[in-house]
Amino acid sequence: MGSIFYLMGKSASGKDSMFRMLAEDKELGLKTVTMYTTRPRRSGEEDGREYFFRQEAFLLQKQEEGQVIECRTYETVLGPWRYFTLDDGQIDLGRFHYLMMGTLESYENTKKYFESRGRQVLFPVYIEVEDGERLLRAVKREMCEKEPHYKEVCRRFLADSEDFSRERLDRFEIDRVFQNQELLVCKEEIKAVILEKMKESVVY
């Protein structure tokens, strides 16, 4: 049975870079699952690569069809943005291990989805960066956008303090924190834990 290694962290903690490096590591051989979102595409993003970019009507249709594994909504200064994962055939736990990325809320809902089907397959991977450094990274990234939205950067930064509080991490039984001060060092620490976890299961 395969496992799902679920990467989480506050905004600008380096999740995207970490996700890419872990997904590209041939020794790990992790499969990925492309999520869906209703938010606008950012500069350099492509449909089906970072996300599948869809309209609200598409999400409503999939909810009616019972294909939504998890869905969360962000109330942004540009309106509500929804991110969701579908049971659309991308996941085959009988053959592969997977790498996914999301929030504590999406982790919880994905965990519930698979546990309701008799599968305890999720393993949390939480990364963290010192707040001052994280804010600088977020601002620098937004400066590269054609139309920067600094209010949204500030909103997300403050919201993350509540979303990823120690109390909430404890509630989700996330007791291991990977410090992402040096990307390569942190990646190797995570890789070692994933390899050890993979040894505990058998993929058919």
Side-chain angles (χ1 to χ4, degrees):
M1 178 65 68
S3 297
I4 297 175
F5 298 96
Y6 210 91
L7 182 63
M8 294 171 282
K10 298 175 182 176
S11 58
S13 62
K15 296 190 301 297
D16 291 339
S17 296
M18 185 64 68
F19 184 90
R20 183 174 61 253
M21 291 174 66
L22 292 171
E24 292 175 350
D25 191 304
K26 294 183 178 180
E27 184 179 0
L28 291 174
L30 297 170
K31 302 293 183 180
T32 60
V33 178
T34 304
M35 294 178 55
Y36 295 73
T37 183
T38 63
R39 76 157 169 78
R41 270 187 275 182
R42 292 173 179 162
S43 301
E45 291 182 329
E46 294 181 12
D47 185 49
R49 188 177 65 187
E50 289 83 7
Y51 296 96
F52 290 114
F53 297 91
R54 298 293 184 266
Q55 300 297 316
E56 189 83 12
F58 176 85
L59 170 58
L60 294 175
Q61 177 185 341
K62 295 304 177 182
Q63 286 175 327
E64 292 178 358
E65 295 173 355
Q67 286 188 268
V68 178
I69 294 176
E70 60 83 25
C71 177
R72 67 267 195 192
T73 302
Y74 295 95
E75 296 297 339
T76 78
V77 295
L78 301 175
W81 290 350
R82 309 193 199 284
Y83 293 78
F84 51 102
T85 308
L86 296 184
D87 191 352
D88 58 358
Q90 294 187 67
I91 302 174
D92 182 357
L93 291 167
R95 301 176 61 198
F96 305 109
H97 293 288
Y98 289 83
L99 178 66
M100 296 177 66
M101 181 170 63
T103 64
L104 281 174
E105 179 185 2
S106 65
Y107 167 76
E108 178 184 34
N109 291 331
T110 303
K111 187 170 183 285
K112 287 180 178 178
Y113 182 88
F114 286 102
E115 286 182 348
S116 70
R117 288 155 175 78
R119 296 181 174 183
Q120 297 188 12
V121 295
L122 259 69
F123 183 83
V125 179
Y126 178 68
I127 63 174
E128 196 169 71
V129 171
E130 187 273 325
D131 278 350
E133 174 64 23
R134 189 167 63 85
L135 181 58
L136 288 174
R137 291 183 185 181
V139 171
K140 289 179 180 178
R141 183 175 66 184
E142 195 66 20
M143 289 174 66
C144 297
E145 295 295 315
K146 292 182 179 179
E147 297 182 13
H149 297 287
Y150 297 111
K151 288 184 179 180
E152 175 58 18
V153 170
C154 293
R155 184 204 66 78
R156 291 187 64 185
F157 182 84
L158 295 174
D160 280 343
S161 296
E162 295 184 14
D163 292 344
F164 291 95
S165 66
R166 185 65 258 175
E167 292 76 15
R168 294 201 75 203
L169 292 176
D170 289 342
R171 171 189 161 193
F172 293 105
E173 300 180 338
I174 298 175
D175 53 9
R176 177 70 182 270
V177 177
F178 296 91
Q179 296 295 330
N180 191 22
Q181 301 305 319
E182 294 291 338
L183 187 62
L184 291 176
V185 173
C186 185
K187 182 257 183 177
E188 289 304 311
E189 291 178 353
I190 294 172
K191 177 179 178 178
V193 172
I194 290 177
L195 287 173
E196 184 62 31
K197 181 67 177 177
M198 289 167 69
K199 290 179 182 178
E200 299 174 6
S201 62
V202 177
V203 179
Y204 296 97

